[in-house]
Amino acid sequence: MQNHPLVIAHRGARKYVPENTIPAMEQSALLKADGVEFDVQMTRDGALVVCHNYLVDKTSNGHGRIADMTFQELRELDFGDGVKIPTVDEVLLAARNMRVINMEIKRPPVAVRREMVGKCVDAIRKFHLEKKIIVSSFDYPVIDEVKRIAPDIPCGLLYSVHHSGEKGMSRGRYIRQAVSHKAEYLHPTYNYALSPIYRLRCRLHHIGINCWGITGDKEMRILTKLPVNAVITDCLVY
């Protein structure tokens, strides 16, 4: 592990420009972030686009669910300041020179899970990013599918304090989950990483910690002094 955690820009530099867009990725580099995190979804016609919410209502001038829309319909929308929704290829191209890239695959319908994961893996391989990418998801069957077709691509299990029981992540079971899903990383909300016992258990099992949910400068200053792999944060200037 490096001396200080890597700083990963959550949805890009979202405090300064529209989140999950090409400008957000470019601004992250200008602010000296070590990497970027972004969210992947699939359109009705099978295109991979980058957006956090399942509905476009909050982040664009449009309405509707990404999975029900075509790529062309989405591309016609304004996602802030005249910016268009990017494809996964466009984001990977923009972020390819950063130290680390965190691709979060949003929960897909079961019927298209294999197709979506396969396309994500193809995009990673297209840009030869296997050694700097981390694929994460709250949907652990997605991680299983990544490992089935691309065991060399590092993965992280996402979870938060709000659903630790649901995912079996309480009372030390997070180690068993990581082992079971062959994940190299755990991606918990930062409150877990504050625990020395949590960090010790992960270190003993060679599981990295990339924590998230850091939105305040105070928390950021604390987290960047802890022995974790990375912090996924909105705070790039603190």
Side-chain angles (χ1 to χ4, degrees), residues 156-172:
L157 304 184
L158 269 162
Y159 66 103
S160 76
V161 68
H162 301 296
H163 70 277
S164 60
E166 172 194 343
K167 290 294 183 183
M169 290 296 198
S170 59
R171 299 181 183 177

Side-chain angles (χ1 to χ4, degrees), residues 9-12 14 19-21 25 36-42 48-54 66 85-88 91 102-107 116 120 136-138 158:
H10 180 228
R11 306 182 204 169
R14 66 192 296 249
E19 66 177 45
N20 272 326
T21 62
M25 305 305 150
V36 293
E37 182 268 356
F38 61 89
D39 307 276
V40 180
Q41 299 190 56
M42 193 164 73
L48 295 181
V49 293
V50 174
C51 189
H52 176 266
N53 297 345
Y54 294 106
I66 288 176
I85 191 170
T87 65
V88 164
V91 169
N102 183 181
M103 173 191 286
E104 178 184 339
I105 300 179
K106 303 293 284 186
R107 189 183 303 272
M116 183 176 176
C120 286
S136 63
S137 186
F138 281 103
L158 269 162

Side-chain angles (χ1 to χ4, degrees), residues 22 41-51 56 65-79 84-91 119:
I22 298 303
Q41 299 190 56
M42 193 164 73
T43 65
R44 189 180 76 205
D45 53 346
L48 295 181
V49 293
V50 174
C51 189
V56 300
R65 188 177 177 87
I66 288 176
D68 296 331
M69 304 173 75
T70 66
F71 174 67
Q72 188 57 45
E73 288 170 339
L74 285 164
R75 199 72 151 184
E76 292 172 359
L77 302 179
D78 183 341
F79 277 77
K84 303 300 183 182
I85 191 170
T87 65
V88 164
D89 278 10
E90 289 169 341
V91 169
K119 288 182 175 181

Side-chain angles (χ1 to χ4, degrees), residues 26 63 69 104 119 138 140 144 147 150 154 163 182 205 230:
E26 294 172 342
H63 305 281
M69 304 173 75
E104 178 184 339
K119 288 182 175 181
F138 281 103
Y140 299 168
D144 294 337
K147 286 300 186 182
H163 70 277
K182 301 178 183 178
H205 289 84

